[in-house]
Amino acid sequence: GIVTERDLVRSLSRGVDPGESVGSQVGRQLVSVDAGVPVTQVLSVMEDCSIRHLPVVSNGKVVGLVTQTNIMKFSDEVLKGYSEALLEQVREQTEELREAAEFKDHVLGMAAHDLRTPLTVVAYWSEVLETLEEGEEVEGLDRRQILRTIGNQAAQMNKLISDLLDITRIHRGKLELKLAPSAIGEILASRLDVYAALAHKKGISLERRVAQGIPLIEMDSDRIGAVVDNLVGNAIKFCGKGDSILVRAEALPEGGIRVEVEDTGQGIGE
């Protein structure tokens, strides 16, 4: 059996002889629990049977004594640990949502910026076509060439939209580059031809200088072209009548090439 301090105090208060054997004062039949029983099950038994002290048995021997206080304290610690882990998980998920929202705003900002230039080109040449007579040329371009320019810009906008998907791939570390030997002079020529009309309309001088002897370089020509579009588009946007834009390319002694876009405009405010 098991005797508690409460049992002894009650017995003495009833006038029991202090010299009487303790066996006669056992308060209840002995109930024990195997050492392998889960804590939650022990707590349930103690609550249902109003047991405050419970011997723990292993291999037929009593190896310890667990009390309701021990179990409750353990449960509180487990609950506290679970709550802290849950709170940390909520913090991490909140931070991930914040980063996702910032990334979304960044992507939308890039989309609005990069689409603005080809849209401006399409709008400009569309206005020109409305007044262009058959056989007439504007800035060296006839109707067919202007339509080809508009088509190229539409393809460029479609490519920019596809690049938005690439940006999300960059965010996930899954972007693939299409590398091939390319001539930087050809890339610059094709890109600057698009911007020549916009620069002329604003009274801006647009010049290209490509050094001789630049070797073919392994690169993703579409993405390099997009970088050039961004730089030249910004230069035109922040230049005014009488300003000039110079795009130059040169080979580097240590290998590779360098492309620079220089303008005399007001620049982009910080």
Side-chain angles (χ1 to χ4, degrees):
I2 182 170
V3 66
T4 67
E5 183 180 9
R6 180 183 299 177
D7 295 328
L8 296 177
V9 171
R10 286 178 178 177
S11 297
L12 292 174
S13 66
R14 292 197 303 266
V16 175
D17 183 359
E20 189 175 338
S21 65
V22 73
S24 64
Q25 302 303 315
V26 172
R28 68 184 78 237
Q29 184 179 359
L30 178 62
V31 177
S32 63
V33 63
D34 187 86
V37 174
V39 171
T40 53
Q41 186 175 339
V42 174
L43 180 60
S44 177
V45 171
M46 296 181 77
E47 289 179 345
D48 292 343
C49 301
S50 300
I51 300 174
R52 298 176 60 84
H53 305 80
L54 197 59
V56 180
V57 178
S58 178
N59 297 324
K61 294 182 179 180
V62 176
V63 295
L65 184 70
V66 66
T67 68
Q68 199 172 51
T69 302
N70 297 142
I71 297 294
M72 293 300 295
K73 182 179 179 181
F74 177 80
S75 300
D76 288 343
E77 291 176 352
V78 171
L79 182 59
K80 180 180 179 182
Y82 177 77
S83 299
E84 291 176 350
L86 184 60
L87 182 60
E88 180 62 26
Q89 184 179 358
V90 170
R91 289 197 189 101
E92 292 177 357
Q93 292 179 344
T94 301
E95 179 64 18
E96 290 176 359
L97 289 174
R98 185 190 64 78
E99 291 178 356
E102 290 181 353
F103 181 68
K104 179 200 68 175
D105 292 341
H106 175 67
V107 170
L108 292 177
M110 289 183 62
H113 177 275
D114 291 345
L115 287 172
R116 184 179 293 113
T117 297
L119 283 172
T120 302
V121 172
V122 169
Y124 170 73
W125 285 116
S126 297
E127 292 177 1
V128 171
L129 281 177
E130 289 182 355
T131 59
L132 190 66
E133 299 293 338
E134 189 67 33
E136 186 181 0
E137 293 187 357
V138 174
E139 300 174 17
L141 300 178
D142 59 20
R143 180 179 293 272
R144 182 181 298 275
Q145 291 170 315
I146 292 174
L147 288 173
R148 185 180 300 115
T149 298
I150 292 175
N152 290 338
Q153 289 305 297
Q156 175 65 13
M157 285 187 283
N158 184 59
K159 180 66 170 58
L160 287 172
I161 293 173
S162 297
D163 284 345
L164 291 179
L165 299 177
D166 287 340
I167 292 173
T168 60
R169 294 189 187 104
I170 292 174
H171 191 61
R172 297 194 302 265
K174 296 182 178 180
L175 177 67
E176 294 182 2
L177 298 177
K178 297 179 181 178
L179 301 177
S182 306
I184 189 62
E186 294 179 3
I187 295 174
L188 294 181
S190 64
R191 298 294 179 166
L192 296 190
D193 285 348
V194 173
Y195 294 99
L198 289 178
H200 178 77
K201 182 180 180 181
K202 293 185 66 175
I204 301 169
S205 170
L206 179 59
E207 182 182 358
R208 178 178 75 251
R209 294 181 190 172
V210 179
Q212 297 295 322
I214 298 180
L216 297 179
I217 296 293
E218 193 91 353
M219 69 177 82
D220 187 322
S221 58
D222 287 337
R223 301 194 183 285
I224 294 299
V227 174
V228 173
D229 286 345
N230 202 325
L231 295 174
V232 175
N234 277 335
I236 292 176
K237 180 179 178 180
F238 292 97
C239 281
K241 186 175 181 179
D243 285 324
S244 62
I245 301 172
L246 173 61
V247 181
R248 52 176 170 260
E250 60 182 357
L252 299 175
E254 63 273 18
I257 58 176
R258 175 167 57 208
V259 176
E260 298 177 336
V261 177
E262 179 183 335
D263 67 78
T264 60
Q266 63 179 353
I268 303 175
E270 297 183 358

